[in-house]
Amino acid sequence: MSSLPETFDRPVHIAVIGGTGLYKIDGYTPIAQLNPDTPWGKPSAPILILEHNGVPVAFLARHGAHHQYAPHEVPTRANIAALRHIGVRCVIAFSAVGSLQEEIKPMDFVVPDQIIDRTKGIRPFTFFEGGLVGHVPFGDPFDPKIVEVVKKCAASMEGDGVTLHDKGTVICMEGPQFSTRAESNLYRSWGGSVINMSALPEAKLAREAEMAYQMICMATDYDCWHTSEDVDVSMVFHYMNTNGQNAKRLVGAVLDELCLQDNSDLVTAKHWEGQSKNAVSFMTKPEGRNPEALKRAEFLFPGFLDN
Ligand SMILES: CSC[C@H]1O[C@H](OP(=O)(O)O)[C@H](O)[C@@H]1O
Ligand SMILES: Nc1ncnc2[nH]cnc12
């Protein structure tokens, strides 16, 4: 049982979502642990609030504290809603990925700029439904302004030949089984750089929540298209354990930089502000709006459709 306070009275602008093998970040002082109820249920784990130079940062384990949620079971709407509700506007999302290109070697990092959706429609993927319709732009699914920050932090990594690739297309597959060789080769022919099971619906929901969202990927395998061994989980954990320090270093350096800019337009995501309100107010006429759906939207955006 944690003895940390369960409330926190300041807004927390910055969050890290930790993926496979990244269940905590070091070097920050835990100051609270929050487990808010959202209209979409509880997040996958209590949200740890850490402090760095007086700036609070939220950490959330995507698959749960014990990695008990399969990719299709992660309560992503609750995760994003809970983060938004405590004030988060800027999310660094970490992911262990398979490489689809020779030059992206296991242990390399990739900051993707595009996604191809290969999920199967079985994951809840929007906040705007059930009597409130909204269509937000998603041409650039990640955040180019955060990519600039991540690029500046590449020097924080150590090791010979470990590279940070500053763009790439992530294929988000359904899983939980890994791909067939035919699929893996198909994704390569589409120009996929890396593959995971977690980029969606997380990135879509973060966009609906008007957050600056960027995934940082670490390659753990060559999936199954390569002449090297086919991916299995021991391989993923082997590389996460071998290179976990570098992952933590990179995430830590990015956080240091974002903390310095805690109240900036970038960290408070001014560039996405108002998108969802616009998207929604164009679509469903006031007389067609379901009060329950409005209440859910209010949880994300207090005063959402006033005036
Ligand atoms: C354990 S291999 C497959 C698993 O790893 C990745 O997780 P995450 O993105 O949360 O780091 C991938 O997306 C799959 O969920
Ligand atoms: N090869 C792979 N396919 C899907 N998700 C992954 N996560 C890590 N490696 C992966």
Side-chain angles (χ1 to χ4, degrees), residues 65-83:
H66 312 286
H67 204 128
Q68 66 271 39
Y69 293 110
H72 64 285
E73 294 173 325
V74 172
T76 309
R77 289 193 297 191
N79 286 354
I80 297 294
L83 292 175

Side-chain angles (χ1 to χ4, degrees), residues 96-98 173 178 195-197 220-221 223 231 236:
V97 297
M173 61 174 296
F178 291 113
I195 182 162
N196 74 4
M197 305 173 190
T220 52
D221 51 83
D223 201 41
V231 58
V236 173

